[in-house]
Amino acid sequence: MSNSFGQLFRISTWGESHGGGVGVVIDGCPPCIPLSEEDIQTDLDRRRPGQSDIVTPRNEADRCEILSGVFEGKTLGTPIAISVRNKDQRASSYSEMKDKYRPSHADYTYDAKYGTRAWHGGGRASARETIGRVAAAAVAKKVLATLFPELEILAWVQSIKDIEASVDADSVSFDTIESNIVRTGDPDAVQPMIDLIKATRSEGNSVGGVVESVVRNVPVGLGNPVFGKLDATLAQAMLSLPATKGFEIGSGFAGTQLTGAEHNDPFFMDGDTIRTSSNRSGGVQGGISNGENISFRVAFKPTATIMTAQQTVSTSGEDTELKGRGRHDACVLPRAVPIVEAMTALTLLDHALLQRAQCG
Amino acid sequence: MSNSFGQLFRISTWGESHGGGVGVVIDGCPPCIPLSEEDIQTDLDRRRPGQSDIVTPRNEADRCEILSGVFEGKTLGTPIAISVRNKDQRASSYSEMKDKYRPSHADYTYDAKYGTRAWHGGGRASARETIGRVAAAAVAKKVLATLFPELEILAWVQSIKDIEASVDADSVSFDTIESNIVRTGDPDAVQPMIDLIKATRSEGNSVGGVVESVVRNVPVGLGNPVFGKLDATLAQAMLSLPATKGFEIGSGFAGTQLTGAEHNDPFFMDGDTIRTSSNRSGGVQGGISNGENISFRVAFKPTATIMTAQQTVSTSGEDTELKGRGRHDACVLPRAVPIVEAMTALTLLDHALLQRAQCG
Amino acid sequence: MSNSFGQLFRISTWGESHGGGVGVVIDGCPPCIPLSEEDIQTDLDRRRPGQSDIVTPRNEADRCEILSGVFEGKTLGTPIAISVRNKDQRASSYSEMKDKYRPSHADYTYDAKYGTRAWHGGGRASARETIGRVAAAAVAKKVLATLFPELEILAWVQSIKDIEASVDADSVSFDTIESNIVRTGDPDAVQPMIDLIKATRSEGNSVGGVVESVVRNVPVGLGNPVFGKLDATLAQAMLSLPATKGFEIGSGFAGTQLTGAEHNDPFFMDGDTIRTSSNRSGGVQGGISNGENISFRVAFKPTATIMTAQQTVSTSGEDTELKGRGRHDACVLPRAVPIVEAMTALTLLDHALLQRAQCG
Amino acid sequence: MSNSFGQLFRISTWGESHGGGVGVVIDGCPPCIPLSEEDIQTDLDRRRPGQSDIVTPRNEADRCEILSGVFEGKTLGTPIAISVRNKDQRASSYSEMKDKYRPSHADYTYDAKYGTRAWHGGGRASARETIGRVAAAAVAKKVLATLFPELEILAWVQSIKDIEASVDADSVSFDTIESNIVRTGDPDAVQPMIDLIKATRSEGNSVGGVVESVVRNVPVGLGNPVFGKLDATLAQAMLSLPATKGFEIGSGFAGTQLTGAEHNDPFFMDGDTIRTSSNRSGGVQGGISNGENISFRVAFKPTATIMTAQQTVSTSGEDTELKGRGRHDACVLPRAVPIVEAMTALTLLDHALLQRAQCG
């Protein structure tokens, strides 16, 4: 259903930007996995705005609380409920939004679909909804670590507007990415990106970009034919994030320019291991992981909230103008990095449990 | 689950390239919809190879049979089983495949995952599996026609390798697309595309490309927040197709180069209707349709089956060489067009029923 | 999945007896339904122990909190999270349970399944888990009231041990049932039942019984053939409650003693309405409601927690004895009544939305 | 969904009594399981009418065909489609049914729900639908045999009308049950049951009864808390069968007459194994199997098709009379036995895969 993800490690998120809070319920978590609020808080802190001077100055503490499913520091196998209270809700920042639809936001579509909307903020479309996902993924990562200790999930900002990073997906490290506030894997791109974001912000404008991700030491056999393909699940996972407009894996759209002879990945024996000498497949063939690094990219549009005046309509059906106020993220890409990792972890774990179920 | 798609109009496909047949079971179809085998056969004929001299000379008649769920020419509301027998299975074309893994195919991954595979052909990864989807979509289209008579779903070949078509997504017609055997919407691109495919075929090579799709006269309100987003469902649907490597909607990856002020779609009143003066959103905002044309693109890699020699490994773990024989599609893009339409129809109908369930 | 119920009005409950709390997340609730914490609290108060002198003296205030999905007093259509904190957890009452398995409880099976258990109380098997269900059902009832204003769901205690109530299911009223602390619909059975429970309680023993339920003014057409049968869903719903051992609908087990000529319900015209002159079907035929009252019964075993000494084994695999301490419900039947109603409401609403989805 | 059962070993059945055929698609079957049409045919033959002179003289050969998912005698892990063609459809037997609703059948409810129905026979409500279930269960049994070689599923006719069999559930054998045409486990009840059925049949009447089932050598840990309880799943599985009116497990309804001290099952050590000295739990505690025999009973009403005249209404809303013609099963109990076993196998396997997924 709409607010659930996963078949066996199933997460159901809840919460809007200005309700009591946000959270998630995890069903199907394997038992006896060590888990504490600290495990989750670390990942929540990475996604939080206000971590640096290029992002919005909200002061959302976002402390998580585990309300069930854990006993004496380990998972019980029963549902794990994690909750984060909403604070710092300056409703007055948004009073104009009650009567106007912000362009390229979900204001109009929610109203049209439901006949109502939480006009205080982004409602269910708000990025605060991703807190539940990140919390659940922190748990998923603990489980994955017990199943595949070598598995490594990384994401980074590959481009912001026309600034392209130069990153080797097979070798970039978490430390390199986390060492800069834009979370790119290319030290030479850091300052240009920061400068662009600051300039954009002072103009009241916004920019988008591409987040790239790699998964290393992937077990073979994750994913299912047809609708349960690993890449299809990843595509759904990424396009379910706010502000996403595209997903590509391996050679992606660029690969459509190659011929089969140029594109195929030849197999060869590396000792007893079957490897491919190239990896345009992006680690997935026939929807199933082949052991090579999984490599994909997600396109994020420039954030719809901008401070310049825009033409729009009122909720009563009249042309009008809207000038933005309040919080304004000029670029969400750095915050999106841990969320892309989160969705990857959730996807991989669900497929790992499916594989264990069907094939032992 | 892996072989099912949809929550309310749920289809379960079955069948491999060389088993008894392929088919689909549709659960949740609204009752009293007129339906006959002819309705389905028309769409199946569109996807069939051997329709023109640029595609593989298989002679697969692919006659469908409705085995349940229809009575006196109308749907009963009970499951509709549609079956298509496999004929023309020249197993001898594939004998070498028993002991070797074809590069960039699913041979290795299926074997690694299941410990077995149907080496006769592509098995479950074969494009024959899409027959079930197209059959089910023929039914879905009949239902959609009763709910939204103006709704129009179109797809066409937007590019093959580096040949780019020039097509106006808002006005291209089905007749234009179907008038040429490459199913492109640009008359000027037809011959270059045909020439390229023929040349590629004679070289024993293959090419890929991009299929673009548009949906017109879309009702507002289809799609759900978060994991049930209309674009997330479309992404999963398209990436579940064989040979796909990417999905983008609206401005897609190119839109990441724009600023928010350049990218946002301003609202305006068109009489009593809320419209946007641009459509970089691609008709979906916050995961929900806003009434504008839905517009997306799917990347298809060049087919992995090529006739030239390739390095690979044997199933017993030794380096070896493979030289292709048998059937060879130099370019699957023209055949993919009706399948992209099919997945779009299935996605839209499922969301329409979900909307009817929740909001009446 | 295990902790979710429903396809369209989907509830996911969480929480154990001694964690932070219990709660539920509701996905798929129709929008614009008036909803407040008072609506839910009323039903929670009905299920609470400590309401009378025949039930356990726990003082669980059980105040609910709506954390999301509601705005300005109406549902948004987004997930509704409801939470109830656990208080009054006298862990010391249960210290012996760490090392021993209570007979006919879930202690052993949870430990064997998960390799761990929350030995503090009943854990996930505790009746506190039903709080989430009752809260969700309070919401479901509000929705049902908008769809079927005449629909009426009632349940009552039909028997406790060998004391059988005499109740006319077609006419018994909510007021009659709620007027006595055992929640039976037969005034003559009240005192015998109270006396039995008090006597049982003083002996440190427990008794079970049967809860009967009726649904009146049922719309025709709820339920689906085969696995989605309305009675099959009700059976699953009721057997998912703690302490249940049986479910029967209409003539139930007794009807197996009749011949077809004695058992069939003849149809007749009541004005323009199709009615049956008897109702051994219990309002469901072929898994679908026929408009007659739905009538079923649920068997509850005597509670496993008793104060007398019992033979059992320790967690280290040795024969031992266990003598109960702490809280002790001699009879859960009166508390089960609102929970049976809750599961009925959840089942009916889900089927109503499924019917609306498929047939409009 | 309505026509699917199971989360991991998911079966989707299709087909009505007078369409092209009936069948099932199995998704999620473990790979490399030996499987042939003979494995399935054996079980199909057991459920077929016309096996003896107490059941209806239809001559339905019911030969199954495996259309996918099996290769060189073993399962591939991909969907297994099994199909059985409908023959022997004497439509003329039912012409009167076009305009009249048969009492206690699904004629009226299907028409009211869908606005249409397959009046030729029982449509989707027909017992022919169970063919798909039995076929799928034959596959499930092969899988279960690889996981739990000692597991044994048995069912038998425990009573027909007021004739009660005397059977020891812990020791009755398959041979004893199959040795007589009523499939009871009590040799002394055989002739009385046969006589009753023959007499009933000659009167044009019908009788019902109770099927009892036992599962021996059950692994501990199958089932999930709350909505995924093993007994809740069994209840849904059994109530999804045609003509069922009740389900009880362990002590069932009779157990409600006992006190807790009388009802609880004490634990004791049998060597290193934890056992219970009684088994009123019926092998399930807290929704999870405890290793003791699972024991339950299913109530079957007397078949609604009788040959005597009945009051009913026409489809145009007028009181009328109906006198049955055509095929007539005086008692479906003997045929129900393999179907009850089938649903048990499907339930247990699904839970086994769920357990393997979550707990390894």
Side-chain angles (χ1 to χ4, degrees):
Chain A
M1 273 205 75
S2 167
N3 292 283
S4 293
F5 182 81
Q7 283 184 237
L8 290 178
F9 190 86
R10 169 167 297 183
I11 76 167
S12 299
T13 67
W14 55 269
E16 296 87 40
S17 50
H18 285 81
V22 291
V24 63
V25 179
I26 302 168
D27 197 359
C29 183
C32 302
I33 305 287
L35 183 66
S36 68
E37 280 154 355
E38 287 63 53
D39 293 323
I40 302 169
Q41 197 60 52
T42 305
D43 281 359
L44 287 182
D45 290 346
R46 286 185 66 215
R47 80 158 279 295
R48 200 162 52 85
Q51 300 165 273
S52 70
D53 59 350
I54 60 166
V55 292
T56 174
R58 270 171 249 166
N59 184 24
E60 304 163 15
D62 288 342
R63 301 299 304 179
C64 73
E65 190 182 0
I66 296 178
L67 292 170
S68 70
V70 177
F71 180 72
E72 294 182 343
K74 291 189 182 174
T75 57
L76 282 165
T78 55
I80 301 170
I82 305 166
S83 170
V84 173
R85 293 283 170 161
N86 279 341
K87 301 180 182 17
D88 192 15
Q89 303 157 29
R90 292 177 288 174
S92 59
S93 307
Y94 298 102
S95 53
E96 194 180 16
M97 284 178 356
K98 180 176 185 181
D99 304 312
K100 299 181 182 179
Y101 294 132
R102 295 170 296 167
S104 287
H105 271 275
D107 301 352
Y108 168 56
T109 48
Y110 273 48
D111 224 4
K113 178 183 179 70
Y114 295 117
T116 179
R117 65 179 175 120
W119 56 265
H120 275 172
R124 187 77 177 134
S126 157
R128 277 196 72 70
E129 173 275 316
T130 60
I131 287 175
R133 308 188 201 210
V134 172
V139 182
K141 287 179 185 176
K142 300 279 293 197
V143 182
L144 282 169
T146 68
L147 298 175
F148 311 115
E150 310 285 355
L151 185 83
E152 187 183 10
I153 300 170
L154 280 182
W156 64 90
V157 173
Q158 177 58 24
S159 68
I160 295 182
K161 201 171 185 292
D162 53 350
I163 302 174
E164 185 89 21
S166 176
V167 177
D168 177 12
D170 293 335
S171 65
V172 64
S173 75
F174 178 78
D175 290 342
T176 300
I177 297 165
E178 284 299 293
S179 71
N180 65 89
I181 59 175
V182 289
R183 289 207 174 101
T184 182
D186 177 1
D188 293 334
V190 175
Q191 201 54 48
M193 287 181 174
I194 291 175
D195 293 343
L196 175 61
I197 295 173
K198 282 183 169 174
T200 305
R201 193 179 184 198
S202 63
E203 292 163 14
N205 209 341
S206 66
V207 281
V210 174
V211 171
E212 182 156 349
S213 179
V214 71
V215 188
R216 302 179 185 140
N217 301 313
V218 186
V220 187
L222 298 190
N224 287 282
V226 190
F227 303 112
K229 284 179 174 172
L230 182 58
D231 38 354
T233 316
L234 284 170
Q236 182 208 2
M238 301 306 153
L239 266 288
S240 78
L241 295 175
T244 51
K245 301 304 293 178
F247 170 90
E248 59 177 12
I249 184 167
S251 60
F253 279 90
T256 68
Q257 304 278 323
L258 304 178
T259 67
E262 294 167 329
H263 188 272
N264 276 4
D265 297 322
F267 287 111
F268 74 96
M269 294 308 301
D270 181 13
D272 287 334
T273 309
I274 294 178
R275 298 288 315 280
T276 59
S277 50
S278 56
N279 187 21
R280 283 172 283 266
S281 300
V284 180
Q285 295 178 330
I288 300 168
S289 61
N290 68 352
E292 300 296 329
N293 288 353
I294 296 172
S295 158
F296 62 88
R297 285 160 299 290
V298 186
F300 285 83
K301 68 176 188 178
T303 331
T305 301
I306 57 180
M307 296 295 109
T308 49
Q310 301 180 81
Q311 284 300 117
T312 191
V313 299
S314 69
T315 56
S316 51
E318 288 153 5
D319 289 301
T320 181
E321 196 182 79
L322 177 75
K323 188 157 169 61
R325 268 171 277 271
R327 309 177 188 182
H328 162 231
D329 255 317
C331 181
V332 300
L333 276 281
R335 291 180 63 188
V337 163
I339 306 171
V340 167
E341 291 175 9
M343 293 313 300
T344 307
L346 292 169
T347 299
L348 289 172
L349 177 58
D350 200 50
H351 277 283
L353 298 182
L354 282 167
Q355 174 68 0
R356 181 158 81 173
Q358 187 179 17
C359 304
Chain B
M1 272 207 75
S2 167
N3 292 282
S4 293
F5 183 81
Q7 283 183 237
L8 291 177
F9 189 87
R10 167 168 299 184
I11 75 167
S12 299
T13 67
W14 54 269
E16 297 85 39
S17 50
H18 286 80
V22 292
V24 63
V25 180
I26 303 167
D27 198 359
C29 183
C32 301
I33 306 288
L35 183 67
S36 69
E37 280 153 357
E38 286 63 53
D39 293 323
I40 303 169
Q41 196 61 51
T42 305
D43 281 359
L44 286 183
D45 290 344
R46 287 185 67 214
R47 81 159 277 296
R48 201 163 51 84
Q51 298 165 272
S52 68
D53 59 351
I54 60 165
V55 291
T56 173
R58 274 171 244 167
N59 184 23
E60 303 162 13
D62 288 343
R63 301 298 306 179
C64 73
E65 191 182 0
I66 296 177
L67 293 169
S68 71
V70 177
F71 181 73
E72 293 182 342
K74 292 189 182 174
T75 57
L76 283 167
T78 56
I80 301 169
I82 305 167
S83 170
V84 173
R85 293 282 168 163
N86 279 341
K87 300 178 183 16
D88 192 15
Q89 302 157 31
R90 292 179 286 173
S92 60
S93 308
Y94 298 99
S95 54
E96 195 179 17
M97 286 180 354
K98 180 175 186 182
D99 305 311
K100 297 181 182 179
Y101 294 131
R102 295 171 296 167
S104 287
H105 269 276
D107 301 352
Y108 167 56
T109 48
Y110 272 50
D111 224 3
K113 178 181 181 73
Y114 295 116
T116 179
R117 64 178 176 121
W119 56 264
H120 274 172
R124 187 76 177 135
S126 158
R128 276 196 73 69
E129 173 275 318
T130 61
I131 286 175
R133 309 187 200 211
V134 172
V139 181
K141 288 179 182 176
K142 299 280 292 199
V143 182
L144 282 169
T146 68
L147 298 175
F148 311 115
E150 305 291 299
L151 186 84
E152 186 183 11
I153 300 169
L154 281 182
W156 63 90
V157 173
Q158 177 57 24
S159 68
I160 296 183
K161 201 170 186 290
D162 53 349
I163 301 173
E164 186 87 21
S166 176
V167 177
D168 177 11
D170 293 334
S171 64
V172 64
S173 74
F174 178 78
D175 290 341
T176 301
I177 297 165
E178 284 298 294
S179 71
N180 64 88
I181 58 175
V182 289
R183 287 205 175 104
T184 182
D186 176 2
D188 295 333
V190 175
Q191 201 55 49
M193 287 183 174
I194 291 175
D195 293 342
L196 174 61
I197 295 173
K198 282 183 170 174
T200 305
R201 192 179 185 200
S202 63
E203 292 162 12
N205 209 341
S206 66
V207 281
V210 174
V211 171
E212 183 156 348
S213 179
V214 71
V215 187
R216 300 177 187 143
N217 302 312
V218 186
V220 187
L222 298 191
N224 288 281
V226 189
F227 303 112
K229 284 180 172 171
L230 182 58
D231 37 356
T233 317
L234 284 170
Q236 182 208 2
M238 301 306 153
L239 266 287
S240 79
L241 294 174
T244 51
K245 302 305 292 179
F247 170 90
E248 60 177 12
I249 184 166
S251 60
F253 279 90
T256 69
Q257 304 279 323
L258 304 178
T259 68
E262 294 168 329
H263 188 271
N264 277 4
D265 297 322
F267 286 110
F268 74 96
M269 295 308 302
D270 182 12
D272 287 334
T273 308
I274 295 178
R275 297 288 316 280
T276 59
S277 49
S278 56
N279 187 20
R280 283 172 284 265
S281 300
V284 181
Q285 295 178 330
I288 299 169
S289 61
N290 69 351
E292 300 298 327
N293 288 353
I294 297 172
S295 158
F296 62 88
R297 284 161 298 290
V298 186
F300 285 83
K301 68 175 189 180
T303 331
T305 302
I306 56 180
M307 296 295 109
T308 50
Q310 301 179 81
Q311 285 299 117
T312 190
V313 299
S314 68
T315 57
S316 51
E318 287 154 4
D319 290 301
T320 183
E321 195 183 79
L322 178 76
K323 188 158 169 61
R325 268 173 277 272
R327 308 176 188 181
H328 162 232
D329 254 318
C331 181
V332 300
L333 276 281
R335 291 181 61 189
V337 163
I339 305 171
V340 167
E341 291 174 9
M343 293 314 301
T344 306
L346 291 170
T347 298
L348 288 172
L349 177 59
D350 199 50
H351 277 284
L353 297 182
L354 282 167
Q355 174 66 0
R356 182 158 79 173
Q358 187 178 18
C359 304
Chain C
M1 275 207 73
S2 167
N3 292 283
S4 293
F5 182 81
Q7 282 184 237
L8 291 177
F9 189 87
R10 169 168 298 184
I11 76 167
S12 298
T13 66
W14 54 269
E16 296 87 39
S17 49
H18 286 81
V22 292
V24 63
V25 179
I26 302 168
D27 196 0
C29 183
C32 301
I33 306 287
L35 183 66
S36 69
E37 280 153 357
E38 286 63 53
D39 293 323
I40 302 168
Q41 196 60 51
T42 306
D43 281 359
L44 286 182
D45 290 345
R46 285 185 68 216
R47 81 160 277 297
R48 201 163 50 85
Q51 298 166 273
S52 68
D53 59 352
I54 60 165
V55 291
T56 173
R58 273 172 243 165
N59 184 22
E60 302 163 15
D62 288 343
R63 301 298 305 180
C64 73
E65 191 182 358
I66 297 178
L67 293 169
S68 70
V70 177
F71 181 73
E72 295 184 342
K74 292 188 182 174
T75 57
L76 283 166
T78 56
I80 301 169
I82 304 167
S83 172
V84 174
R85 292 283 169 162
N86 278 343
K87 300 178 182 19
D88 192 15
Q89 304 158 28
R90 291 179 287 174
S92 59
S93 306
Y94 298 100
S95 53
E96 195 180 16
M97 286 181 351
K98 180 176 185 180
D99 305 312
K100 298 181 182 178
Y101 294 131
R102 294 170 297 169
S104 287
H105 270 276
D107 302 352
Y108 168 55
T109 49
Y110 273 48
D111 224 3
K113 178 183 180 70
Y114 294 116
T116 179
R117 65 180 174 120
W119 57 265
H120 274 173
R124 187 79 177 134
S126 156
R128 276 195 74 70
E129 172 274 318
T130 60
I131 287 174
R133 308 187 200 211
V134 173
V139 181
K141 287 178 184 177
K142 299 279 294 199
V143 182
L144 282 169
T146 68
L147 298 175
F148 311 116
E150 305 291 299
L151 185 83
E152 186 183 12
I153 300 169
L154 281 182
W156 63 91
V157 173
Q158 178 57 22
S159 67
I160 295 182
K161 201 170 186 292
D162 52 350
I163 301 174
E164 186 87 21
S166 176
V167 177
D168 177 10
D170 293 335
S171 65
V172 64
S173 75
F174 178 78
D175 290 342
T176 300
I177 297 165
E178 285 298 295
S179 71
N180 64 88
I181 59 176
V182 289
R183 287 204 175 103
T184 182
D186 176 3
D188 294 335
V190 174
Q191 201 55 48
M193 287 181 174
I194 290 175
D195 293 343
L196 175 61
I197 294 173
K198 282 183 170 174
T200 304
R201 192 180 185 200
S202 62
E203 293 162 14
N205 208 343
S206 67
V207 281
V210 174
V211 171
E212 182 155 348
S213 178
V214 70
V215 188
R216 301 178 186 141
N217 302 312
V218 186
V220 186
L222 299 191
N224 287 281
V226 190
F227 303 112
K229 284 179 174 171
L230 181 58
D231 38 355
T233 316
L234 285 170
Q236 181 208 3
M238 301 306 153
L239 265 288
S240 79
L241 294 174
T244 52
K245 302 305 292 179
F247 170 89
E248 60 176 12
I249 183 167
S251 60
F253 279 90
T256 69
Q257 303 279 323
L258 304 178
T259 67
E262 293 168 329
H263 188 271
N264 277 3
D265 296 323
F267 286 111
F268 74 96
M269 296 306 302
D270 181 14
D272 288 333
T273 310
I274 295 178
R275 297 289 314 281
T276 59
S277 49
S278 56
N279 187 20
R280 283 171 284 264
S281 299
V284 181
Q285 295 177 332
I288 299 168
S289 61
N290 69 351
E292 299 298 326
N293 289 353
I294 296 172
S295 157
F296 62 88
R297 285 159 298 290
V298 186
F300 286 83
K301 69 175 189 179
T303 331
T305 301
I306 56 181
M307 298 294 110
T308 50
Q310 301 180 80
Q311 284 299 115
T312 190
V313 300
S314 69
T315 57
S316 52
E318 287 153 4
D319 291 301
T320 182
E321 197 182 78
L322 177 77
K323 189 156 169 60
R325 268 172 277 271
R327 308 175 188 184
H328 163 231
D329 254 318
C331 182
V332 300
L333 277 280
R335 292 180 62 189
V337 163
I339 306 171
V340 167
E341 291 174 9
M343 294 313 300
T344 305
L346 292 169
T347 298
L348 288 173
L349 177 58
D350 199 50
H351 277 284
L353 297 182
L354 282 167
Q355 174 67 359
R356 182 158 80 173
Q358 187 178 17
C359 305
Chain D
M1 275 205 73
S2 166
N3 292 282
S4 293
F5 182 82
Q7 282 183 239
L8 291 177
F9 189 87
R10 169 168 297 183
I11 76 166
S12 300
T13 67
W14 55 269
E16 298 86 40
S17 50
H18 286 80
V22 293
V24 63
V25 179
I26 303 168
D27 196 359
C29 183
C32 301
I33 305 289
L35 183 66
S36 68
E37 280 153 356
E38 285 64 52
D39 292 323
I40 303 169
Q41 197 60 51
T42 305
D43 281 359
L44 286 183
D45 290 345
R46 285 185 67 215
R47 80 158 278 296
R48 201 164 52 84
Q51 299 165 274
S52 68
D53 59 350
I54 60 165
V55 291
T56 174
R58 273 171 243 165
N59 184 23
E60 303 162 14
D62 287 342
R63 300 298 305 179
C64 73
E65 189 182 1
I66 297 178
L67 292 170
S68 70
V70 177
F71 180 72
E72 294 183 341
K74 293 188 181 175
T75 57
L76 283 166
T78 56
I80 300 170
I82 304 166
S83 171
V84 174
R85 293 282 169 162
N86 279 342
K87 301 181 183 14
D88 192 13
Q89 304 156 29
R90 293 179 285 174
S92 59
S93 306
Y94 298 101
S95 53
E96 193 179 18
M97 286 180 352
K98 179 176 186 181
D99 304 312
K100 297 181 183 179
Y101 294 131
R102 294 170 297 168
S104 286
H105 270 275
D107 301 352
Y108 168 55
T109 48
Y110 272 49
D111 224 3
K113 178 182 180 70
Y114 295 117
T116 179
R117 65 179 175 120
W119 56 265
H120 274 171
R124 187 77 177 133
S126 157
R128 276 195 73 69
E129 173 275 318
T130 60
I131 286 174
R133 309 187 200 211
V134 172
V139 181
K141 286 178 185 177
K142 299 279 292 199
V143 182
L144 281 170
T146 68
L147 299 174
F148 311 115
E150 311 284 359
L151 185 83
E152 187 183 10
I153 301 170
L154 280 183
W156 63 90
V157 172
Q158 179 56 23
S159 68
I160 294 183
K161 201 172 187 291
D162 51 351
I163 301 173
E164 186 86 23
S166 175
V167 177
D168 177 10
D170 294 334
S171 64
V172 63
S173 75
F174 178 77
D175 290 341
T176 300
I177 296 164
E178 284 298 293
S179 71
N180 65 89
I181 60 176
V182 290
R183 289 208 175 102
T184 182
D186 177 3
D188 293 335
V190 174
Q191 201 54 49
M193 288 182 174
I194 290 175
D195 293 342
L196 175 61
I197 295 173
K198 283 182 169 174
T200 305
R201 191 180 186 200
S202 62
E203 292 162 14
N205 208 342
S206 66
V207 282
V210 174
V211 171
E212 182 156 349
S213 179
V214 69
V215 187
R216 302 179 186 141
N217 302 312
V218 186
V220 186
L222 299 191
N224 288 282
V226 190
F227 303 112
K229 284 180 174 172
L230 181 58
D231 38 355
T233 317
L234 285 170
Q236 181 209 3
M238 302 306 154
L239 265 288
S240 79
L241 295 174
T244 52
K245 303 304 290 178
F247 170 89
E248 60 177 11
I249 185 166
S251 60
F253 279 90
T256 69
Q257 302 279 323
L258 304 177
T259 67
E262 294 168 329
H263 188 272
N264 276 2
D265 297 322
F267 287 110
F268 73 96
M269 294 308 300
D270 181 12
D272 288 334
T273 308
I274 294 177
R275 298 289 315 281
T276 60
S277 49
S278 55
N279 187 22
R280 283 172 283 264
S281 300
V284 181
Q285 295 177 330
I288 299 168
S289 61
N290 68 352
E292 299 297 329
N293 288 353
I294 297 173
S295 159
F296 62 87
R297 283 161 299 288
V298 186
F300 286 82
K301 67 174 189 180
T303 331
T305 302
I306 56 180
M307 297 294 110
T308 50
Q310 301 181 80
Q311 284 300 117
T312 189
V313 299
S314 68
T315 57
S316 51
E318 288 155 3
D319 290 301
T320 181
E321 196 183 79
L322 177 76
K323 189 157 168 60
R325 267 172 277 272
R327 309 177 189 182
H328 161 233
D329 254 318
C331 180
V332 299
L333 277 280
R335 291 181 62 188
V337 163
I339 306 172
V340 167
E341 290 175 8
M343 294 312 300
T344 306
L346 292 170
T347 299
L348 289 172
L349 177 59
D350 199 51
H351 277 283
L353 298 182
L354 283 166
Q355 174 67 0
R356 181 158 81 173
Q358 187 178 18
C359 304

